[in-house]
Amino acid sequence: MSRIVVLVSGTGSLLQALLDAQDSAALSAQVVAVGADRAGIAGLDRAETAGVPTFVEAVGDHPDRAAWDRALATQVTAHRPDLVITAGFMKILGPATLATAPVLNTHPALLPAFPGAHGVRDALAYGVKVTGSTAHLVDEGMDTGPIIDQRVVPIAEDDTEDSLHERIKVLEREMLVEVAADLLVRGFTVDGRRVVLGPA
């Protein structure tokens, strides 16, 4: 069975979607570890409740980001993942961690529009009529990796950042599980900016 390491920074709702899909056999893979960049977060609690090993690698515990990246890579590699998923992980990964396994992320906007930590807020402020969520492979940039899938969410006139984000999260959770399953079961290749599912 394929092995997944999930990295979290907050509540872990995307992690929970993966754990639930694993339990229901909607995802034929096992979350073998959950890592975080800080202690005391709900995402780690969710992992511990599910009996999944956890680890914390805080940037502040290292002399620089490169040292943190190497330490994080060591932690990830110890669990021999076939796929790493950044599920609300609010740090940019460096080359050491990116070399451990393919890394999948979801972002609450239709990239390349509105990258960064405030994608929902930025979409509302710009006045666009639709937004959504993007699944992409992670590279060393901020939400710049090749796009795998996108799901669209219309913006209502009375939407707030919270109400819009909640609707995006519903699609984001579904997409994350489906894309992770596709990558692990079907395999993929990257051709420039295109991610092609299926064997090479």
Side-chain angles (χ1 to χ4, degrees):
M1 183 175 287
S2 297
R3 301 168 63 85
I4 298 173
V5 170
V6 182
L7 301 178
V8 298
S9 290
T11 62
S13 60
L14 289 167
L15 165 64
Q16 191 64 55
L18 292 165
L19 294 171
D20 292 346
Q22 171 186 295
D23 290 345
S24 69
L27 179 63
S28 182
Q30 182 179 5
V31 177
V32 295
V34 173
D37 59 338
R38 56 198 180 109
I41 59 171
L44 292 174
D45 294 339
R46 290 179 191 266
E48 289 163 4
T49 298
V52 178
T54 63
F55 61 87
V56 175
E57 205 62 66
V59 174
D61 292 340
H62 300 278
D64 54 38
R65 289 294 287 260
W68 168 77
D69 179 49
R70 291 191 296 271
L72 181 62
T74 298
Q75 293 270 25
V76 170
T77 301
H79 297 281
R80 307 186 316 279
D82 299 293
L83 182 68
V84 175
I85 296 177
T86 50
F89 189 66
M90 303 304 288
K91 294 288 186 294
I92 294 177
L93 299 178
T97 302
L98 291 174
T100 61
V103 183
L104 170 64
N105 182 56
T106 59
H107 177 73
L110 297 176
L111 295 172
F114 312 119
H118 304 294
V120 179
R121 182 188 309 170
D122 293 344
L124 269 178
Y126 200 84
V128 295
K129 300 304 179 185
V130 296
T131 186
S133 184
T134 301
H136 66 97
L137 295 176
V138 177
D139 60 15
E140 291 187 50
M142 182 183 292
D143 301 319
T144 55
I147 291 170
I148 305 165
D149 195 2
Q150 292 182 305
R151 308 282 170 96
V152 175
V153 175
I155 298 177
E157 290 295 330
D158 59 349
D159 260 329
T160 63
E161 183 179 352
D162 288 341
S163 66
L164 179 57
H165 204 173
E166 284 306 312
R167 294 206 312 284
I168 292 172
K169 284 178 181 177
V170 173
L171 286 184
E172 194 169 19
R173 289 190 285 263
E174 294 173 357
M175 180 173 60
L176 177 61
V177 169
E178 291 172 10
V179 169
D182 275 344
L183 294 179
L184 290 167
V185 172
R186 298 172 62 187
F188 69 96
T189 54
V190 179
D191 179 13
R193 292 288 311 170
R194 295 179 64 243
V195 178
V196 181
L197 291 171

